[in-house]
Amino acid sequence: VYITWADEGGSGGTCPTPTPLGRPKKTTRGKKGGKIGGKKRKKKILFKNKTKQIKSTIKQTEWADKLNGNEKYTLFAPTNEEFEKLGNDKLQELKKPENSAALLSIIESHIYAGELDKEMLVSTGVLPPSVNGKTYPVQRKNNRFFIGNARPTRNPEYAGNGLFYVIEDVLQ
């Protein structure tokens, strides 16, 4: 089972490999609702409307294929609202081919090798380096968990090859 992309209602494609919207790509590993390591694993992670921006930006990078491999990753996905705070002009600039390195840097700030469980993160107080080498402090404020200034909106979702958190900030 791999970290998978789907739109609300089950349409979409297996992500991170770009596929035409409509029919999900089928996977052969794992069982829907299975358990791995005592945690319930999902066959698909649903990218609801609130995280479509990270979905589309990952599809523009080499990470679309890498996240579909056998390596385990943790993805911190900012909401669309947080991407919009960067400004429409900046978002459009980042999507231009000549700015692919800057876009890749932002995406890689949200991807971590291995499975980063919330309790482990809080106990260590810092994220290990992201795939591009950036680190962020992890802390608990008013009984809430923060990565830098980003607050996960809920507990992580478990997939066969990693964890998926929705966060309320863009890590840069």
Side-chain angles (χ1 to χ4, degrees), residues 12-66:
T14 295
C15 178
T17 304
T19 58
L21 294 178
R23 299 185 76 163
K25 186 191 273 185
K26 294 182 180 179
T27 58
T28 57
R29 296 184 174 190
K31 295 180 181 177
K32 188 174 182 178
K35 287 190 176 187
I36 300 172
K39 301 286 184 179
K40 187 171 182 174
R41 304 281 173 154
K42 293 186 176 188
K43 192 170 186 177
K44 282 197 264 187
I45 302 272
L46 291 179
F47 276 74
K48 299 185 176 159
N49 289 332
K50 67 181 177 180
T51 55
K52 284 186 177 181
Q53 188 68 44
I54 188 101
K55 175 183 174 179
S56 69
T57 55
I58 286 177
K59 284 183 175 183
Q60 292 179 312
T61 71
E62 65 205 39
W63 280 98
D65 291 327
K66 288 181 182 180

Side-chain angles (χ1 to χ4, degrees), residues 92-148:
Q92 294 309 313
E93 277 298 308
L94 286 169
K95 290 181 180 183
K96 292 181 179 177
E98 63 268 21
N99 296 323
S100 62
L103 178 64
L104 184 62
S105 178
I106 289 173
I107 293 302
E108 288 182 340
S109 295
H110 295 85
I111 301 171
Y112 292 79
E115 291 185 336
L116 305 180
D117 185 75
K118 179 173 103 172
E119 296 308 316
M120 182 273 301
L121 292 173
V122 171
S123 68
T124 61
V126 68
L127 278 174
S130 67
V131 294
N132 69 355
K134 292 185 178 180
T135 59
Y136 299 92
V138 178
Q139 53 196 318
R140 195 178 293 266
K141 298 178 192 173
N142 298 324
N143 223 12
R144 293 184 179 191
F145 162 54
F146 287 84
I147 298 150

Side-chain angles (χ1 to χ4, degrees), residues 118 152-157 164-166:
K118 179 173 103 172
T153 61
R154 60 180 183 218
N155 287 327
E157 292 192 38
F164 175 85
Y165 293 84
V166 176

